[in-house]
Amino acid sequence: MTVLLAISGVFAVLAGLVHAYIFFLESVAWTSPRVRRIFNISSEAEAQATRSLAFNQGFYNLFLAIGAILGVVLVLAGNGATGWTLVVFSCASMLGAAVVLVGTGRKYLRSASMQGAFPLLALLFAFVGSTFGS
């Protein structure tokens, strides 16, 4: 594996860890005062009203996290074709979700950047590493 592909794997794992954290916020700690502040939820009533939606959305993030991290594990175990397919699909989905988020309003630019930066870097390094790597 080239250095560029190894860097891609590191960014994919970081993206997975960020999305696992988002899962925790959305599916486990949604109604806590800290998480309400993070997501700009004005009241306990609003948090309760949106709890099931956040719970579901959190699992989307968890499944993408698992895909990215499992893909890297498979690559390291010697199953590159399946591993890279999972990494690219998971990271492309994470990046797509970040683009959709920022498309819903400029106020989400910071959140979208946090959600999409690592997947973007993973994809860029994977592309460059697989195209120009030796």
Side-chain angles (χ1 to χ4, degrees):
M1 180 178 357
T2 69
V3 171
L4 295 175
L5 291 177
I7 293 169
S8 173
V10 169
F11 281 123
V13 169
L14 290 172
L17 293 174
V18 167
H19 280 73
Y21 177 65
I22 295 169
F23 157 77
F24 171 78
L25 294 176
E26 293 176 336
S27 295
V28 178
W30 184 251
T31 58
S32 74
R34 180 175 168 265
V35 173
R36 291 193 343 242
R37 279 191 304 278
I38 290 170
F39 286 94
N40 199 25
I41 297 169
S42 60
S43 67
E44 174 70 23
E46 183 182 355
Q48 289 297 335
T50 57
R51 186 177 189 168
S52 63
L53 295 173
F55 183 79
N56 187 49
Q57 184 63 36
F59 275 90
Y60 278 92
N61 286 297
L62 178 63
F63 299 145
L64 291 174
I66 290 169
I69 294 169
L70 178 60
V72 171
V73 168
L74 288 171
V75 167
L76 293 173
N79 193 342
T82 302
W84 283 114
T85 300
L86 274 172
V87 168
V88 169
F89 176 80
S90 297
C91 288
S93 295
M94 291 173 185
L95 181 58
V99 170
V100 169
L101 181 60
V102 78
T104 61
R106 292 183 51 86
K107 68 180 181 179
Y108 298 113
L109 182 59
R110 182 174 181 266
S111 297
S113 297
M114 292 173 60
Q115 177 179 328
F118 289 144
L120 174 62
L121 290 169
L123 291 168
L124 287 175
F125 277 98
F127 174 74
V128 173
S130 64
T131 303
F132 304 107
S134 51

